[in-house]
Amino acid sequence: MAAASSLHVAAPAATPRVGSAGPKSASAARSVRVARSGAGARPGGRLVACAAVATKADAPASEAASKSEGHEVLLFEALREGLMEEMQADPTVCVFGEDVGHYGGSYKVTKGLADMFGDLRVLDTPIAENSFTGMGVGAGMKGLRPVIEGMNMGFLLLAYNQISNNCGMLHYTSGGQFKIPLVIRGPGGVGRQLGAEHSQRLESYFQSIPGLQMVACSTPYNAKGLMKAAIRSENPVVLFEHVLLYNLKEKIPDEEYTLCLEEAEMVRPGEHVTILTYSRMRYHVMQAAKTLVNKGYDPEVIDIRSLKPFDLHTIGNSIKKTHRVLIVEECMRTGGIGASLRSAIIDNFWDYLDAPIMCLSSQDVPTPYAATLEDATVVQPAQIVAAVEQICQ
């Protein structure tokens, strides 16, 4: 059985779809699945045991060039566009969750989809995360491509058995008889005075589950591209969305596009230190970067996006250039993504480091309701500036 850290998507390439008109049948829809990942093809397009990280041979085309023309959308609208396009193209794609139907979801990602596709493909469920997540696993086993929405990511802890013992492992424990092409998505992270139970970051909970892939969106552009790629994947994918990023606005291309699920994004090239981050912390890092530049530092900022597996090709090339690493995350410090990433960097790039790896994480405490205390538990730009100054001494 492949280890959790050896996830790698290798779906066979096919001819890209043109326009919104989809195949006439579910089998035809599946026959044109496209997953433009950096991996080479493998028999069956399934998870394969390989290196501990995803790798890629060639640099991707510039995202900035592809966004030169297009239309402006908010992040939640970009997610909805991606989901709607996949539902139009493939009749096996469906949505389960609480209030995802005519209410449109807790953050309106599914707004209008019930009117377009009907109540059976956009299915309102009872408040029973374990039940409808299990139903999604079963639907995936029978040939559908369910998208499960957690009204809040913290609620999905009620479905942890279905996600870990079923969703992540059934392909292996069935001897490859079943595929689970399932997407689990929803809002998470520290919002604004949402309290401890609504401020969960479940990356650390899910990262050790074998067979599960994890990505985190941070812009409207990558939100839509990752949504579409996750739906097309033959693997179960958890898509993390931050509750404070839904109203970010950005211009995205009018033409169809997808993003690689295993690829990091170079946000800002630099020479002095590699800063690795994801989700909301991307914006705290970029705010700190302005101060650092004024102080004479040249940080390189990478949005890792793929939380499992890590894109150590991009990360490694940066470390070989800067020789210093700072990890900034909103996840908890103990057992978080930063801890796993630091371990992977030490295992693979120890000889290139000129300073100890630093990791800034949230405090290991329940998130307070009081705004000042809430801010104190999360990494702030001033802490990032101070950490870079320490590393570069």
Side-chain angles (χ1 to χ4, degrees):
M1 184 180 294
S5 61
S6 65
L7 272 179
H8 202 84
V9 175
T15 304
R17 295 170 294 185
V18 179
S20 60
K24 298 300 183 181
S25 67
S27 60
R30 288 190 292 274
S31 70
V32 297
R33 283 278 147 203
V34 181
R36 300 290 187 185
S37 67
R42 298 289 191 274
R46 292 300 304 150
L47 299 177
V48 297
C50 57
V53 297
T55 60
K56 59 180 185 294
D58 302 309
S62 170
E63 293 182 359
S66 67
K67 293 186 283 185
S68 59
E69 297 181 359
H71 58 288
E72 278 195 336
V73 293
L74 301 175
L75 190 144
F76 79 89
E77 294 172 329
L79 289 166
R80 184 173 63 208
E81 275 192 20
L83 179 55
M84 180 180 66
E85 289 176 8
E86 295 304 300
M87 293 184 74
Q88 288 173 332
D90 186 347
T92 68
V93 179
C94 52
V95 181
F96 301 158
E98 299 153 357
D99 287 336
V100 297
H102 295 282
Y103 182 73
S106 55
Y107 288 88
K108 302 307 177 185
V109 173
T110 59
K111 183 179 179 181
L113 297 186
D115 294 330
M116 295 178 64
F117 302 105
D119 293 341
L120 290 180
R121 289 187 68 191
V122 185
L123 183 63
D124 275 326
T125 66
I127 303 175
E129 283 77 9
N130 57 343
S131 298
F132 66 73
T133 303
M135 182 171 67
V137 174
M141 293 170 66
K142 296 299 290 182
L144 299 181
R145 292 183 176 271
V147 178
I148 303 297
E149 176 177 309
M151 183 178 285
N152 181 281
M153 278 303 224
F155 303 160
L156 290 177
L157 290 176
L158 296 167
Y160 195 82
N161 177 65
Q162 285 73 22
I163 295 171
S164 59
N165 287 331
N166 302 150
C167 175
M169 299 185 187
L170 270 171
H171 176 69
Y172 298 94
T173 57
S174 68
Q177 296 180 75
F178 296 111
K179 297 182 296 183
I180 318 293
L182 176 73
V183 178
I184 299 170
R185 52 153 297 271
V190 178
R192 289 194 172 91
Q193 295 185 270
L194 298 180
E197 293 183 7
H198 289 70
S199 302
Q200 292 275 36
R201 287 130 289 175
L202 298 190
E203 305 96 294
S204 60
Y205 291 73
F206 292 151
Q207 67 172 328
S208 61
I209 298 174
L212 202 64
Q213 190 165 2
M214 305 194 310
V215 292
C217 62
S218 55
T219 69
Y221 178 80
N222 67 40
K224 180 178 178 179
L226 292 174
M227 169 72 87
K228 291 172 68 70
I231 293 173
R232 298 181 185 194
S233 175
E234 296 297 315
N235 309 310
V237 179
V238 181
L239 172 60
F240 292 97
E241 305 157 13
H242 199 286
V243 68
L244 291 183
L245 300 185
Y246 280 123
N247 288 324
L248 284 177
K249 181 179 287 188
E250 184 183 27
K251 182 178 287 188
I252 65 174
D254 293 326
E255 65 272 13
E256 184 183 55
Y257 69 93
T258 62
L259 296 179
C260 177
L261 291 174
E262 298 96 19
E263 191 171 274
E265 176 187 349
M266 179 65 69
V267 180
R268 184 192 187 278
E271 299 290 336
H272 293 160
V273 59
T274 297
I275 305 180
L276 305 173
T277 189
Y278 65 93
S279 190
R280 174 198 178 192
M281 286 296 108
R282 168 178 174 152
Y283 298 95
H284 283 208
V285 168
M286 292 307 294
Q287 186 177 338
K290 295 177 183 179
T291 303
L292 289 167
V293 170
N294 291 335
K295 288 174 174 276
Y297 298 98
D298 186 18
E300 180 152 292
V301 180
I302 296 176
D303 184 342
I304 63 173
R305 283 198 317 210
S306 176
L307 308 186
K308 181 184 168 187
F310 297 129
D311 176 9
L312 287 196
H313 178 89
T314 299
I315 293 170
N317 284 342
S318 178
I319 293 171
K320 292 173 184 178
K321 176 174 60 174
T322 67
H323 308 291
R324 292 172 173 84
V325 181
L326 172 63
I327 301 169
V328 182
E329 62 176 347
E330 194 180 85
C331 196
M332 300 297 188
R333 183 172 185 82
T334 301
I337 295 297
S340 297
L341 184 54
R342 175 156 46 185
S343 176
I345 291 170
I346 290 172
D347 287 346
N348 290 275
F349 306 109
W350 173 260
D351 290 341
Y352 296 97
L353 295 172
D354 288 344
I357 301 170
M358 289 192 67
C359 183
L360 299 178
S361 311
S362 292
Q363 300 296 314
D364 284 336
V365 298
T367 303
Y369 175 77
T372 52
L373 295 177
E374 182 181 66
D375 287 343
T377 67
V378 178
V379 179
Q380 300 299 329
Q383 295 171 270
I384 301 170
V385 172
V388 170
E389 290 175 329
Q390 181 179 340
I391 293 173
C392 294
Q393 285 180 348

